[in-house]
Amino acid sequence: MLLRHTLYYFTARGLPGLVNFAALAVFTRLLAPEEFGRYALVVVGVGLANVILFQWLRLVLARFYQANRHCREQYLGGVLALFLSVAVPVTGAGLLLAMVWPDPLWQYLLLLSVILLLAQAWFELNLSLAQAGVQPILYGKLSGTKAALSIVVGGSLAALGWGASAPIVGLIVAHALSFIAFGWFAWRGVKPSLPGNDVLKSQLGYGLPLTVTFALSWVVSGSDRLLIAWLLDERSVGVYAAGYDLAFQTLMLVLTIINTAAFPLAVKALERGGAPAARRQLGENGQLIFVAAIAGGSGFVALAPQVVEIVIGAEFRSAALAIFPWVVFAGAIAGIKAFHFDLAFQLGVASRWLVLTGAVAALSNLVLNILLIPSFGILGAAWATLAAFVISALLSAVLGSRVFDMPSLGPMIGRALVIGGLSGGVAWLAAGQFTSVWSGLVSGLLAGTVVGLVACWLLNVAGVRARLQHRFPG
């Protein structure tokens, strides 16, 4: 079931991810680095506000939807009421901030940011609903439509000279139209009604610590752009964000696809079979996460020159290549932490411990950024991010093992290192046989993927060999 659902969500999230590749290529060619830098600052600011204000509600929906599926409309009514109770005051505060901001350009961008925050938060709540309901097709329709519309609308506006506001308006339109097309029917018959005090207390007790954790994770993955803007300039933010997004977000997309399919299966196993069943499911999930993180990261680094030249605009390339390998492996460590080690706290309903791991990582990241950026520029920011994620992952692994009975790490790490070394090495060798960028990328990607899949079969990753032999005996 894990592999089948992963394939479903690969289509549902992978195709929009390819569109995001195209968006990065479009915007780094149509926007100047300083314009892309302003856009990146808006995205990271909206992301922080989204995490602080609305992430807890999405987490509650994902964790407890299955337990309340027999009273669906009543449960969703509580979710809707909670969303509105946050959205209304946030709108007023955001508009007030925009009006008093001294810079006219940023006044306009802040107004757009408020609208984007609400649209994005509501859209992502609907994605969580589709995921919790194990509806990968609906998930794919929502995310695919949003990705396509954002690049069409945003790219068109960028070509017309809208500057930094072009991709922001594109995102707003894409979120809204995607929900209207595919999401509204899930809320038919749902009336907002705040849940009872006991239910609300339990939801907040679960969601708020995770919200703090995600906010602290944002400090690790997003505050570097604000610090670069403060210590350097908006142009440096633009070139850093282009390379960072290509490296980090692409690998995290792959890992998120796996987790999108895997986490509901772990919750389902826990609800129906208890901790032993959840541990077995986590063993399969974790092996797939480790292999994808390490093998995917190795392959991505091996093909970095080809990927960067194809995707990133000329003004951004040299900086992107400089930070690329550091950010790729930061993404691999971040994914392993978020989608394996941190699950111990979520399944064990002890999410408060995530605050500690996040706080240590955030503090480390801030201190290292402030120390390294003045001397090493954006490369120092990449080093700080990698170090912070390593620290937080180690702490999460140690503490999580005391909260929930997690599967053994040895086999996961061993298989992942073998597969990663083989697939990354073969991809590098194959790509080096061609002078053409496209030929090198395609040959390296195909060779690395084939070798990686064969290695996965030989090592029986996530039980793939056993399942295939059972389905196709003889």
Side-chain angles (χ1 to χ4, degrees):
M1 184 177 290
L2 169 61
L3 295 176
R4 184 173 72 251
H5 278 232
T6 300
L7 290 175
Y8 288 156
Y9 281 109
F10 178 79
T11 302
R13 298 197 71 151
L15 293 180
L18 293 177
V19 176
N20 290 335
F21 258 116
L24 190 58
V26 168
F27 294 131
T28 56
R29 286 169 170 81
L30 294 177
L31 300 179
E34 57 271 18
E35 292 174 332
F36 193 85
R38 296 184 193 109
Y39 161 64
L41 290 172
V42 167
V43 169
V44 78
V46 168
L48 174 62
N50 193 4
V51 165
I52 293 175
L53 298 168
F54 297 102
Q55 180 75 26
W56 69 275
L57 191 54
R58 293 194 293 273
L59 292 168
V60 166
L61 180 59
R63 177 62 180 85
F64 297 109
Y65 178 82
Q66 284 289 332
N68 291 274
R69 63 187 183 278
H70 300 301
C71 50
R72 181 181 180 278
E73 291 186 1
Q74 179 182 352
Y75 180 69
L76 290 182
V79 171
L80 177 58
L82 290 171
F83 179 87
L84 293 175
S85 67
V86 176
V88 171
V90 165
T91 301
L95 293 177
L96 179 61
L97 176 63
M99 286 188 292
V100 300
W101 200 268
D103 186 340
L105 174 59
W106 275 101
Q107 278 186 342
Y108 175 55
L109 292 178
L110 284 171
L111 286 172
L112 291 178
S113 299
V114 174
I115 302 172
L116 177 59
L117 171 61
L118 298 176
Q120 182 174 309
W122 178 249
F123 180 82
E124 290 180 358
L125 188 68
N126 280 271
L127 287 181
S128 295
L129 178 58
Q131 178 188 359
V134 194
Q135 296 178 286
I137 295 176
L138 174 59
Y139 193 105
K141 289 179 179 178
L142 285 165
S143 56
T145 303
K146 187 269 291 185
L149 286 173
S150 65
I151 188 173
V152 170
V153 177
S156 299
L157 295 177
L160 293 173
W162 282 44
S165 64
I168 302 172
V169 174
L171 285 171
I172 293 170
V173 173
H175 283 120
L177 294 182
S178 300
F179 170 73
I180 293 171
F182 300 110
W184 67 271
F185 67 89
W187 301 90
R188 287 182 299 184
V190 175
K191 297 180 180 179
S193 177
L194 288 172
N197 290 335
D198 291 341
V199 173
L200 181 59
K201 184 178 179 180
S202 67
Q203 291 178 344
L204 291 173
Y206 173 78
L208 289 183
L210 287 174
T211 291
V212 175
T213 302
F214 277 94
L216 292 170
S217 296
W218 174 91
V219 173
V220 181
S221 62
S223 64
D224 45 7
R225 304 182 190 200
L226 299 178
L227 290 171
I228 290 170
W230 174 44
L231 296 170
L232 300 177
D233 50 43
E234 291 178 348
R235 179 183 176 84
S236 298
V237 176
V239 296
Y240 177 81
Y244 186 102
D245 288 347
L246 177 60
F248 191 91
Q249 301 300 339
T250 303
L251 185 56
M252 284 296 288
L253 171 65
V254 176
L255 301 178
T256 301
I257 289 169
I258 297 172
N259 184 66
T260 302
F263 181 67
L265 298 179
V267 173
K268 184 178 179 180
L270 180 63
E271 294 288 343
R272 300 185 182 184
R279 187 178 188 272
R280 289 192 296 272
Q281 187 64 56
L282 286 172
E284 291 191 12
N285 298 357
Q287 184 64 85
L288 207 53
I289 288 289
F290 270 82
V291 168
I294 295 176
S298 298
F300 213 25
V301 169
L303 300 174
Q306 291 82 7
V307 173
V308 168
E309 185 168 345
I310 289 171
V311 178
I312 301 292
E315 291 186 80
F316 299 79
R317 285 176 193 158
S318 61
L321 277 173
I323 67 172
F324 201 85
W326 307 103
V327 176
V328 165
F329 287 112
I333 299 300
I336 290 171
K337 175 189 180 294
F339 302 139
H340 184 70
F341 294 142
D342 287 359
L343 297 190
F345 305 107
Q346 296 183 44
L347 296 177
V349 194
S351 54
R352 63 187 181 278
W353 289 106
L354 284 170
V355 176
L356 175 60
T357 65
V360 170
L363 181 61
S364 302
N365 185 69
L366 286 173
V367 171
L368 289 171
N369 267 308
I370 292 172
L371 291 175
L372 295 175
I373 289 175
S375 299
F376 300 98
I378 63 173
L379 188 58
W383 292 342
T385 299
L386 175 58
F389 277 125
V390 169
I391 292 169
S392 62
L394 291 173
L395 188 58
S396 179
V398 172
L399 293 178
S401 64
R402 301 177 182 178
V403 172
F404 194 85
D405 187 19
M406 297 292 285
S408 175
L409 284 176
M412 294 184 190
I413 296 174
R415 289 172 177 169
L417 289 175
V418 170
I419 296 169
L422 289 172
S423 59
V426 168
W428 179 76
L429 289 172
Q433 303 306 309
F434 297 88
T435 56
S436 166
V437 174
W438 276 102
S439 298
L441 176 63
V442 172
S443 63
L445 184 61
L446 288 176
T449 300
V450 169
V451 169
L453 290 175
V454 171
C456 285
W457 183 82
L458 291 173
L459 295 175
N460 197 30
V461 171
V464 62
R465 187 177 69 213
R467 284 180 169 81
L468 289 175
Q469 289 175 342
H470 176 75
R471 176 163 291 190
F472 306 104

